[in-house]
Amino acid sequence: MKESQNNALNGNFLCGVVEGFYGRPWTADQRKLLFKRMNKFGLNTYLYAPKDDAKHRAFWRDLYSVEEAENLTSLITAAESCGITFIYALSPGLDLTFSSSKEVSCLKRKLQQVATFGCKAFSLLFDDIEPEMNEADKEVFQSFAHAQVSVTNETFQHLNQPVFLFCPTEYCASRAVPNVKDSGYLNTIGAKLLPGVQILWTGPKVVSKKISIQSIQDISKVLHRSPVLWDNYHANDYDQKRIFLGPYDGRSTQLIPQLGGVLSNPNCEYEANFIALHTLAQWSQSKPIESSKDTVAENDSITSDIRLETEIDDDDDVDAVSPVPGAYQPKLALNVAIRDWMEEFYRQRTADNRTVSLHKIVPPCPGVPSASQITTCMSVTPTTTSTTVGAKTLIVPPISAITNQIVGDMPANFDSYIQPSMSNQPVNSLLGPPCADADIDSIESDTDSKEPMECVPTTDNEDIKTDNEYFKEEKDTDSDQMQIDTDDADKLSEASVGNSGIKSEDRLTHEDIQLLVDLFYLPFEHGSKGIHLLQEFYWLKTNANIVTENRKNQEQSNEKISEWFSRATAFENTVKDVGRMADRLFKIPNRALLYDLHPYLWDMRGILSLLNSFVKWLGCSKEHKSAFMSGDQEPWMFRGGLTAEFQRMLPIDGAHDLFTNTPPEKPSPKVYTIRPYLPVDESAVYNVCRQTCDDGFDGTEVFPNHPELMGDRLIGGILTTSPEYSFIVEDGEGICGYALAALDAKTCLKKIDVAWIPAMCIKYPKPDKTLALTPAEEIMMSFYKESNESIPVSLYTEYPSLLKMDILPERIDDAMVAKRLLACVLSALKSNGSSGVHCELQTGDQHMINFFSRLGLFALPSHDTVIVGRKI
């Protein structure tokens, strides 16, 4: 390996960024910012390979227009001025006929055109394609590898042997057939490809948790050269709920002399990659020192299982003191990166009129295994953690993650991960609108055996409306004033120069950023705060019987009760810390950074708020059935990162739709709080009922002299007889929605007939007349009619619980608020044995029927009324 050692010593080691993900490519201005940032970090290489850029892959034959040429030339010049090697890549493998001289000439002409723009380094990528030749190529070439080698060598020589990278179709050990050593494809590539062509490699997997020295030595022997690592460690284009803010890890610095370079294929969100690149740079500039942590063998038990930071107290400072000066320490590197990243939050940078949208869910690059080959992100570790509760030791199941069984979750018509759907229309990132702060120089010059892919690729459908779009359509135009205008908020933030316009208490702290990073850490590892939240919620949930038993038996140990409520308070305080951090983030001048982080933090904040509401309910619940609280499914056995693990720890299953939605188009500081109903809330809940009693709209003018009448008729009975399963949602103005439930509908209705209805007959005297009644008199008369409310046996068996739910649409413009409110109620009901809920509506209540249908409640068989329901 003398050649690779020399690469590291003489500066030929390629270290930097590959823009190689699926989804919206970065803009030209973002790339120019990237070049300056890379220069400051000491990185030296940028590989241009955005999978969804039209003329890179889908329309690779098309030459660039004059305007496109000018923009690409500008990028190449900007990279060169920053000391960055700009490598231009093409991905022609989708439809290239290797044996066609016309096709090969077209390929060379395209690259030659880019060479005239000043580009001196190139790459051909043959990843993510079917490993089969067409009939014409089979008549000319012995194998697919021979075909690729022929075209690559010819192109390499045509361009006068520049810096040249090649990405094979078998680009990681898991894709090698049958294995790395015996792969006919890889051996042909290594033997036949000209020595000056460097080969890209992702490691043992597409996204490799660890990369051992031995594995690199093995592939180097097969390829007859040191590979350049295309590192997908921070790639997130395969899971819309995950973003990775943790440090570069799992690669020994002893790899540096064994490699031709390392190119990070990071998060789709440009602004989210500061730590990933900062710590990569620190890693590349560290001494190649052997350590027990870094040189774990590929078959070591530690690498075969996920090691989440379960020993939080012991591991927090594991890197605090380096035993060897100059050694790379991920946690120490993270602290340094956070310190430098904080400056970026307070740079003046606009969001370019963007709206928040998660990137497309498509396979990571390079390549993803086919459905028959794909495995998961994290394996189940045999390790458990224990927590002492008084004299009792609670064994907490291992917080490892994601199930190995995903094929069964795939739709029947899903054929392969190899080729993403072309309905994800390619874009042209060279012709994007200029950034509002287009003076890039002025922006930066002031500061010198498992894969984590498990989600099925989906495609956007512009004809399908999101729940938030429905909310907008149903709101009165004047109600928009209730939502803070983010554009105005942006202007206010941007009017504040640097730090002077932000109060000290509103500024992000190092602890805030550390918390943010911990919540979105790494693909195989959660941060310490995230693990702590998982462990605490699990403990509170599984020990809730301590609280309920105390209510039945006053002799219960006060020590156990105190511990439960103390830990519940600590859990709530941590959730508040997340909310405080999110509020501070909203006020930063760097709106581009805010827009990139907001969708993930919005989702995380929502699920944590939901968990906190459920904990509060546990603290005041009168009943508890531990059989339902232990969880019918393992919470760490699903994709989606930490957010999904929190979701799975709730006692509801089959309710994944309640956790799926797009964030609001623009970040908003508006906060909604969901909590259990209290007796003091009755008046405010009645007000919401009155303002929504007319098929979801205000009925105040219909009953001007009897403001409590509709509340008494629709929800008073359930609040009086079954308040323990009721929740409210409130904003800064007060209560703006509720979800009220009775565990047993039959029992609740009997109690209403016996206790509530007689009280209403006293409160509202029977009208003297029977004809020409006013709306209010008709409601009063209903109290005097003999009750004929009976629940069909079949409905009661499957949907035994009763639900009443309303929200004020002019106060709640985030569709997820209603979903989370319902999730709270369903969790409470499920925890006590309910299998389903139903809600009775009037035939003409079309608005409410639509409202409930978007919450997963659909019409059930009934005679005179409309009954909607859903299983829990």
Side-chain angles (χ1 to χ4, degrees), residues 329-348:
Q329 305 160 72
K331 290 187 178 179
L332 182 59
L334 173 62
N335 284 329
V336 174
I338 289 176
R339 181 196 65 197
D340 292 347
W341 195 24
M342 290 186 67
E343 298 178 6
E344 297 297 319
F345 286 82
Y346 293 95
R347 292 189 184 278
Q348 305 294 322

Side-chain angles (χ1 to χ4, degrees), residues 96-162:
L96 172 65
T97 301
F98 293 86
S99 58
S100 169
S101 59
K102 181 179 179 180
E103 289 274 86
V104 176
S105 295
C106 185
L107 176 62
K108 292 189 291 187
R109 184 171 66 249
K110 177 68 170 285
L111 295 179
Q112 189 65 57
Q113 183 196 29
V114 178
T116 65
F117 303 158
C119 186
K120 302 173 184 176
F122 299 90
S123 179
L124 286 181
L125 311 179
F126 294 105
D127 56 306
D128 293 3
I129 58 176
E130 296 290 346
E132 296 292 336
M133 292 186 290
N134 59 35
E135 293 302 320
D137 289 338
K138 288 179 180 179
E139 295 179 1
V140 177
F141 297 109
Q142 181 179 347
S143 69
F144 201 32
H146 284 87
Q148 293 179 4
V149 165
S150 174
V151 170
T152 302
N153 284 343
E154 183 176 343
T155 304
F156 176 60
Q157 291 175 320
H158 175 76
L159 295 171
N160 297 319
Q161 301 187 5

Side-chain angles (χ1 to χ4, degrees), residues 21 35 43 114 143 177 268 356 358 423 552 566 587 606 671 732:
F21 49 80
F35 300 153
L43 301 173
V114 178
S143 69
V177 180
C268 297
V356 169
L358 294 174
S423 60
K552 298 176 182 178
S566 175
K587 298 174 183 178
V671 176

Side-chain angles (χ1 to χ4, degrees), residues 437-464:
D437 42 357
D439 186 357
I440 305 299
D441 292 332
S442 65
I443 294 176
E444 293 286 353
S445 60
D446 59 340
T447 306
D448 286 78
S449 157
K450 306 276 182 177
E451 305 280 11
M453 297 87 63
E454 193 183 9
C455 59
V456 177
T458 61
T459 58
D460 291 343
N461 187 336
E462 295 180 357
D463 295 329
I464 299 177

Side-chain angles (χ1 to χ4, degrees), residues 521-535:
Y521 202 60
L522 291 170
F524 301 97
E525 186 175 0
H526 299 317
S528 59
K529 287 289 187 181
I531 291 296
H532 179 73
L533 284 166
L534 282 170
Q535 291 175 327

Side-chain angles (χ1 to χ4, degrees), residues 38-53:
M38 290 172 63
N39 175 269
K40 184 167 65 175
F41 291 168
L43 301 173
N44 60 25
T45 305
Y46 166 79
L47 176 57
Y48 176 89
K51 283 292 188 290
D52 285 340
D53 202 340

Side-chain angles (χ1 to χ4, degrees), residues 308 310-311 380-389 392-400 531-543 567 630 634-636 645 649:
L308 297 180
T310 52
E311 300 82 21
V380 179
T381 174
T383 307
T384 59
T385 56
S386 60
T387 304
T388 302
V389 185
K392 174 185 176 183
T393 299
L394 170 69
I395 302 299
V396 182
I399 304 174
S400 43
I531 291 296
H532 179 73
L533 284 166
L534 282 170
Q535 291 175 327
E536 286 303 289
F537 181 76
Y538 181 88
W539 186 92
L540 291 165
K541 186 182 71 168
T542 53
N543 287 275
R567 293 175 73 159
S630 60
E634 299 288 0
W636 39 83
E645 294 199 31
M649 295 188 81

